Amino acid sequence: MKHFDYLIIGSGIAGLSFALKVAPRGRVAIVTKKDRAESNTNYAQGGIAAVTSKEDSFELHVRDTLAAGAGLCKENVVRTIVEEGPARIAELIDLGMKFSQRNAPGEDGGRELDLGKEGGHSKRRILHAKDVTGREIERALLAAAAQQPNIQIFENHVAIDLITSQKLGYVGKNRCLGTYVFDKKTGRVWAHTAPVTFLATGGCGKVYLYTTNPDIATGDGVAMAYRAGAAVANMEFVQFHPTCLYHPQAKSFLISEAVRGEGGVLKTVEGAEFMNAYHPLKSLAPRDVVARAIDSEMKKSGAEHVWLDITHKPARFIIDRFPNIYQICLRYGIDITKEPIPVVPAAHYQCGGVVTNVDGETDIRGLYAAGEVACTGLHGANRLASNSLLEALVCAHRAAELTAKDPPARTELKIPLWQSGNAHNPDEMVVVAHNWDEIRRCLWDYVGIVRTNKRLARAQKRLANLQQEIYEYYWNFTVTSDLLELRNIATVAELIVGCALLRPESRGLHYNLDYPEANPEWAQRDTVLRKS
């Protein structure tokens, strides 16, 4: 058993930001599944959307966010996050984050932020570090965390389940007491306790066969919070990034939306532009529209991909603006200055998650969440590009402020050590691999960019059978990280399907052929699931 003042699950922008803010007030543990830099933040290419130029305004950023969110955003949350964004950006720069700059126009010369533009934004407002923004943010935050003696990072540790008063059989309001943590190197399970547990586990892209997410994105935080009794909402809104590199050796490499922001054009395999038939903004339409358009074109022609073409721009500009994308594509034999990039849509971002307010509070006392794992109401039915890192910064800051003003008291409740019982070592890891593959194919085939009631019902039935098998496997064998992740993606898959079946309309990222139009009665209505 290990005791802390703050327990953080995840080491991306939300988890590290929160850790840095609370470290002066007590002992902080960060539990992370792989090494400390492995997070969705690390793979974020585009940047952070924030109002930093005279041509822009909070009102315009709010308007763009609400438009992308398709009638489901909470306007007060949007306004708070947009208006508090610039101050959080300034803090990030003070920590050593270096955003790309350019020569300022006019006689004075000087330098200014090189703001990018992405789909759905009416102004240039994306702060970026070339096309490796996430990596640079992660570097700056980890460097700052390394200077804090109060922060201890547990690498290669997997959170199993939240420890709550209700699970332990205590009556009264449910509160979170910590989490059981599996040490991958030793195979031991520890109880990590703290009055404040902060979920920053990122998303669930690996629940789908094709994703831009790293292997760690298995929806652990959502699954754990749901099992603990927290409300989970709007999981049907999974954003498919329209442009993932299509290449047999490229596992999940994202071609940033900024490529389209700088003039990249989508074309069919025959070389014809097609986005003008789908939206007035053409290749810069919101992501849900672009992903559906590509899906439709591929189904019409039977092609396995479409092209993203930026060859009409000067080679020097392309290489300077997108050095990472240029180098990676070159590694796969594609020179993006001379030939178009083959792309397909892939699961990218969950807009739903654990229900929180803008301060990161869940409905379980002592449990907070921020970043992709949380559902604040900012994104609504479709996330506006580059709003996610902004949300993580603002909500982590607000959660840290709240826990300073109103810290949950330490508990005297007795917490039991982890019991393995009669479980024995799993001898059939092929079963885990097979179930994992089946879930991901099931979600891709039946709960993808376009759904139907029949497909959703089929997915639900298959997942119920798999859940029973996984449940028996979990209780009959000692835990492994693969088994824990399988259990979590199965839970998250069921939540995605469950939410999708609750929404009798098409809105934003949820497109159901049986209800092709948005239902006005479902504007501002969340689909909420809670474990019975």
Side-chain angles (χ1 to χ4, degrees):
M1 187 130 4
K2 295 181 179 178
H3 304 285
F4 302 93
D5 298 298
Y6 300 91
L7 174 60
I8 299 165
I9 318 294
S11 60
I13 186 172
L16 290 172
S17 298
F18 182 77
L20 289 168
K21 296 277 167 84
V22 299
R25 299 200 295 269
R27 291 183 65 221
V28 180
I30 300 176
V31 173
T32 184
K33 287 204 295 192
K34 289 205 172 172
D35 67 58
R36 60 195 69 193
E38 184 72 359
S39 66
N40 272 6
T41 300
N42 201 38
Y43 292 84
Q45 295 176 357
I48 305 183
V51 176
T52 57
S53 82
K54 295 188 196 73
E55 288 82 51
D56 202 0
S57 70
F58 291 146
E59 214 49 56
L60 285 173
H61 192 173
V62 168
R63 192 181 73 190
D64 292 346
T65 302
L66 295 176
L72 207 65
C73 300
K74 292 184 171 67
E75 188 171 342
N76 59 328
V77 171
V78 174
R79 215 164 270 287
T80 298
I81 290 171
V82 163
E83 290 176 2
E84 292 183 13
R88 304 288 76 82
I89 297 287
E91 287 176 352
L92 205 51
I93 291 169
D94 287 343
L95 279 178
M97 175 65 199
K98 292 177 171 54
F99 289 107
S100 293
Q101 296 186 332
R102 64 180 179 190
N103 292 325
E107 293 172 23
D108 305 341
R111 303 283 283 167
E112 64 178 14
L113 287 165
D114 177 30
L115 299 175
K117 190 175 183 185
E118 294 182 0
H121 290 275
S122 57
K123 296 286 180 186
R124 284 188 170 269
R125 65 168 70 98
I126 315 301
L127 294 94
H128 61 94
K130 301 287 187 182
D131 57 353
V132 289
T133 311
R135 192 196 301 167
E136 281 301 298
I137 290 170
E138 192 76 4
R139 179 200 58 74
L141 291 172
L142 282 170
Q147 303 301 311
Q148 290 286 346
N150 268 358
I151 296 176
Q152 188 175 358
I153 301 180
F154 293 87
E155 293 182 308
N156 297 300
H157 282 63
V158 184
I160 301 174
D161 262 325
L162 297 169
I163 304 167
T164 63
S165 56
Q166 277 185 6
K167 276 191 194 172
L168 298 181
Y170 293 97
V171 292
K173 190 164 169 57
N174 197 16
R175 62 172 293 177
C176 185
L177 311 170
T179 182
Y180 289 112
V181 176
F182 173 67
D183 181 346
K184 286 161 76 171
K185 285 186 177 158
T186 65
R188 292 182 70 183
V189 176
W190 296 82
H192 286 211
T193 73
V196 171
T197 300
F198 185 81
L199 289 176
T201 50
C204 65
K206 294 300 282 190
V207 80
Y208 282 92
L209 193 58
Y210 301 108
T211 176
T212 63
N213 290 183
D215 288 343
I216 53 153
T218 50
D220 305 332
V222 169
M224 287 193 297
Y226 176 73
R227 287 195 294 267
V232 170
N234 296 349
M235 288 298 288
E236 70 272 37
F237 298 113
V238 175
Q239 189 169 61
F240 286 78
H241 197 287
T243 55
C244 186
L245 178 63
Y246 178 78
H247 190 280
Q249 269 85 53
K251 191 173 177 187
S252 53
F253 185 68
L254 173 69
I255 305 297
S256 170
E257 189 161 319
V259 174
R260 283 177 284 131
E262 299 296 350
V265 176
L266 288 162
K267 297 179 178 179
T268 64
V269 282
E270 287 83 26
E273 292 184 31
F274 59 86
M275 278 308 300
N276 53 341
Y278 293 90
H279 198 277
L281 288 174
K282 301 180 185 175
S283 290
L284 273 174
R287 288 180 180 180
D288 57 325
V289 177
V290 179
R292 275 201 304 277
I294 295 172
D295 185 64
S296 172
E297 291 296 322
M298 284 165 59
K299 280 175 178 159
K300 267 194 273 184
S301 65
E304 294 184 319
H305 64 83
V306 295
W307 298 114
L308 177 58
D309 191 355
I310 195 168
T311 55
H312 52 282
K313 290 283 187 177
R316 183 168 292 283
F317 167 80
I318 295 169
I319 295 166
D320 181 60
R321 177 66 178 83
F322 304 109
N324 188 47
I325 294 172
Y326 173 73
Q327 289 295 340
I328 298 283
C329 287
L330 209 54
R331 193 186 303 164
Y332 294 117
I334 305 159
D335 183 345
I336 68 171
T337 67
K338 297 175 182 166
E339 55 195 317
I341 310 163
V343 294
V344 289
H348 182 59
Y349 190 90
Q350 68 173 47
C351 291
V354 183
V355 176
T356 73
N357 58 19
V358 78
D359 297 323
E361 286 181 294
T362 71
D363 50 14
I364 299 176
R365 176 83 171 141
L367 180 66
Y368 302 79
E372 193 171 351
V373 68
C375 181
T376 61
L378 170 70
H379 305 306
N382 181 35
R383 174 184 71 116
L384 181 66
S386 293
N387 265 356
S388 42
L389 295 178
L390 182 75
E391 178 189 42
L393 277 177
V394 171
C395 295
H397 170 82
R398 291 181 70 97
E401 297 274 287
L402 182 68
T403 58
K405 279 188 228 142
D406 180 25
R410 284 201 169 276
T411 177
E412 299 305 314
L413 300 182
K414 187 164 174 53
I415 296 170
L417 296 174
W418 178 262
Q419 298 294 325
S420 287
N422 297 318
H424 52 286
N425 286 323
D427 51 358
E428 292 184 64
M429 289 316 291
V430 67
V431 176
V432 173
H434 178 80
N435 285 354
W436 178 283
D437 189 54
E438 199 169 330
I439 290 167
R440 297 180 71 204
R441 283 184 185 280
C442 175
L443 266 280
W444 186 260
D445 291 343
Y446 301 136
V447 201
I449 295 166
V450 175
R451 295 107 188 239
T452 65
N453 287 347
K454 193 174 173 184
R455 287 180 205 167
L456 291 171
R458 197 172 285 166
Q460 191 175 48
K461 193 174 174 185
R462 292 194 179 190
L463 288 169
N465 291 338
L466 283 166
Q467 274 284 37
Q468 187 56 39
E469 208 171 290
I470 293 163
Y471 178 83
E472 288 168 12
Y473 208 74
Y474 176 75
W475 291 108
N476 289 336
F477 296 103
T478 47
V479 296
T480 65
S481 57
D482 286 345
L483 181 54
L484 293 172
E485 289 183 334
L486 172 66
R487 180 177 177 237
N488 289 336
I489 70 159
T491 300
V492 169
E494 282 201 318
L495 290 169
I496 292 169
V497 174
C499 287
L501 283 165
L502 284 175
R503 187 169 290 279
E505 63 165 353
S506 287
R507 182 181 297 276
L509 301 162
H510 173 68
Y511 193 78
N512 187 330
L513 291 171
D514 293 312
Y515 312 105
E517 302 300 325
N519 181 345
E521 290 176 16
W522 275 80
Q524 294 296 304
R525 274 178 75 179
D526 297 325
T527 53
V528 182
L529 294 174
R530 191 182 261 105
K531 193 172 172 66
S532 54

